[in-house]
Amino acid sequence: SELADGQAADFGRPQYRCSGGALSVRLSLIRHSDLRLEDGSRSLPDGCRGSVRTFGPWLLLKLPYTSCPMALWISNGTWFRQLKLRYFDHLLQANVMGVATCENPATSLQLAPPLVTCRTTDLTVKLPLGTRLKRVKALGKDGVVGRALTTTTPDAVLVQISTPANTV
């Protein structure tokens, strides 16, 4: 069973929405029960900064792409994140596995350009969340790159590169 993506035909079916940094899933607490992740666990793993909230008859999950367990795969050059959820559907009287698939925003061609901040001893590059730094290449007369320190924040990847004081 696939989760409905924006389809209004059956409000009782689980629905999901892909956003820039997270996958949101809505399930009916009246129609569905015994919600589990694909591996059978009933709770989010340590390190997953996702949320599980109840609003009236709805259960809402919000799972960041980079910190929660989602499969990452590529098809025809496009990267995707996929989440599988198991639950019991009372209307169908059956255990069901729902699949939500989102295009990975970190590989989208519509990314904002990196934000670069230059100081006398270093420069910092702010990259979209989910980006992986492969290498740093120095341009200019010396071609020297100092130490590169990568830090992940809830909304971005920051790369701090130390530089000789006279080259920034």
Side-chain angles (χ1 to χ4, degrees):
S1 170
E2 298 247 346
L3 302 176
D5 182 15
Q7 297 175 0
D10 184 354
F11 286 112
R13 285 181 52 195
Q15 296 188 357
Y16 74 98
R17 184 173 79 86
C18 304
S19 68
L23 166 66
S24 299
V25 180
R26 183 189 79 174
L27 292 106
S28 165
L29 291 171
I30 296 167
R31 182 170 170 177
H32 308 107
S33 62
D34 196 27
L35 177 67
R36 298 170 187 251
L37 296 174
E38 181 181 18
D39 66 3
S41 62
R42 293 178 189 238
S43 60
L44 297 175
D46 293 342
C48 174
R49 294 187 305 266
S51 63
V52 180
R53 295 196 173 107
T54 303
F55 291 97
W58 303 105
L59 178 71
L60 301 176
L61 301 169
K62 186 172 184 181
L63 306 173
Y65 295 129
T66 56
S67 70
C68 293
M70 285 187 236
L72 180 63
W73 51 278
I74 189 170
S75 175
N76 295 327
T78 303
W79 289 81
F80 295 91
R81 296 276 181 173
Q82 186 176 74
L83 176 71
K84 293 181 180 179
L85 297 172
R86 298 175 188 271
Y87 55 90
F88 183 77
D89 187 314
H90 292 279
L91 182 64
L92 299 174
Q93 287 296 300
N95 287 310
V96 178
M97 179 179 293
V99 179
T101 304
C102 298
E103 185 173 341
N104 187 11
T107 60
S108 170
L109 296 176
Q110 290 85 24
L111 290 176
L115 176 65
V116 179
T117 306
C118 298
R119 292 186 287 272
T120 57
T121 59
D122 65 17
L123 64 98
T124 302
V125 181
K126 181 178 180 181
L127 301 167
L129 189 62
T131 302
R132 288 189 197 142
L133 183 66
K134 291 185 178 180
R135 66 185 162 111
V136 176
K137 182 177 181 181
L139 300 176
K141 63 180 181 173
D142 295 332
V144 177
V145 174
R147 187 177 57 122
L149 175 66
T150 303
T151 307
T152 302
T153 67
D155 63 343
V157 174
L158 301 175
V159 181
Q160 185 177 9
I161 305 166
S162 61
T163 59
N166 62 352
T167 62
V168 176

